[in-house]
Amino acid sequence: MVSFPDSSTTFQPPADVAAVLDDARAASLIYINGRTSTNRPSARDEILALKRALSARRYLVDRGVAPLKVMVNFASATDYVTENITPEGRYQNQRVEIELIYAPIL
């Protein structure tokens, strides 16, 4: 999970997340979910959530991940990970979640 400052779409993973993502090329499939912290869904916030997810996708593709491995999803005003009434809570909810799926090679 990587959080974003208000209205930001720049994907900047902290060092511990970047270290995990260094191995993303070996994943069979990658799911990226972009989210916002708004209270009501809107077209503007859905675009923001999509841009966050696409920014994370670009980060991975720029590091050698095959674009066809990456599935992008987004939603605004939904799926909070914590309370949404404090600045800290909203920051955590303004995020992308990245799931790396590894399938055994038979």
Side-chain angles (χ1 to χ4, degrees):
M1 185 173 90
V2 175
S3 295
F4 290 75
D6 286 342
S7 301
S8 174
T9 60
T10 302
F11 183 76
Q12 295 179 318
D16 60 329
V17 174
V20 171
L21 294 178
D22 282 345
D23 190 40
R25 287 185 308 282
S28 300
L29 190 60
I30 301 169
Y31 291 107
I32 301 175
N33 295 302
R35 300 290 183 256
T36 66
S37 66
T38 55
N39 293 318
R40 292 186 201 145
S42 70
R44 178 185 171 274
D45 283 320
E46 286 192 359
I47 290 168
L48 180 60
L50 173 59
K51 286 182 176 181
R52 287 175 175 163
L54 292 175
S55 178
R57 180 183 182 274
R58 171 57 46 208
Y59 175 92
L60 293 171
V61 170
D62 286 350
R63 284 158 180 76
V65 172
L68 294 176
K69 289 184 177 184
V70 184
M71 306 291 289
V72 172
N73 186 11
F74 61 95
S76 66
T78 186
D79 197 24
Y80 302 131
V81 292
T82 190
E83 44 73 34
N84 202 43
I85 58 173
T86 65
E88 295 82 14
R90 285 189 298 278
Y91 177 74
Q92 289 180 15
N93 290 325
Q94 298 166 174
R95 70 194 189 282
V96 293
E97 296 173 331
I98 300 173
E99 183 179 3
L100 305 175
I101 309 295
Y102 295 91
I105 298 174
L106 302 174

